[in-house]
Amino acid sequence: MPLYQITAITRAGVAQPHVHQLLTKLSTFVTENNGVVAEIRNWGEQRLAYRMRAHQEFHTHGRIVQMRYVMSPTTAIELHRQMRLDNQVLRFMLMKEKNTSVASLGELEPGQLAEVARNMLTTMDDAG
């Protein structure tokens, strides 16, 4: 299964529990479909570079969140659909990381797979 990175801009001014609920929903979906949560970063609320229209409103601020998941391509497609339909998400980008397939690790337990994913991230961060 490849490693995917998702960067999302969610509504600003939304209480932290709502953001946590969105991240929990997405992470639960991935783990229920035999994926692994490798990393979640909340960059906080920031002013956007330009005024953005989403869900029939204009937005000048947003909360930026970055997530990394090890999941199958079919799970990534469904996650993309769920994020597109969520009213809290203004914009998002789902990318498959280069040269990160862990398909040969299919026999590992989820805990071991999570550790391998974290090691991959550390190696990638050190290299680039």
Side-chain angles (χ1 to χ4, degrees), residues 7-24:
T7 304
I9 302 173
T10 63
R11 290 181 185 267
V14 175
Q16 189 68 20
H18 291 279
V19 175
H20 186 355
Q21 180 183 14
L22 172 67
L23 296 176
T24 303

Side-chain angles (χ1 to χ4, degrees), residues 24-35:
T24 303
K25 180 179 86 169
L26 297 174
S27 298
T28 302
F29 174 76
V30 169
T31 54
E32 285 175 352
N33 287 290
N34 299 323

Side-chain angles (χ1 to χ4, degrees), residues 7-11 48 52 62-64 88-92:
T7 304
I9 302 173
T10 63
R11 290 181 185 267
L48 301 176
M52 190 178 293
R63 183 177 302 275
I64 300 175
Q88 289 185 19
V89 178
L90 304 178
R91 295 274 198 284
F92 69 95

Side-chain angles (χ1 to χ4, degrees), residues 18 33 39 70 125:
H18 291 279
N33 287 290
E39 179 182 24
V70 177
D125 290 341

Side-chain angles (χ1 to χ4, degrees), residues 25-80:
K25 180 179 86 169
L26 297 174
S27 298
T28 302
F29 174 76
V30 169
T31 54
E32 285 175 352
N33 287 290
N34 299 323
V36 175
V37 178
E39 179 182 24
I40 295 179
R41 289 185 189 168
N42 185 350
W43 292 355
E45 194 171 308
Q46 298 183 7
R47 182 171 169 76
L48 301 176
Y50 56 89
R51 190 171 71 153
M52 190 178 293
R53 183 172 183 184
H55 308 294
Q56 300 177 350
E57 296 176 21
F58 287 101
H59 303 272
T60 57
H61 289 79
R63 183 177 302 275
I64 300 175
V65 179
Q66 183 181 39
M67 303 158 278
R68 286 182 170 171
Y69 297 117
V70 177
M71 60 185 166
S72 68
T74 55
T75 303
I77 291 169
E78 180 60 25
L79 189 67
H80 186 276

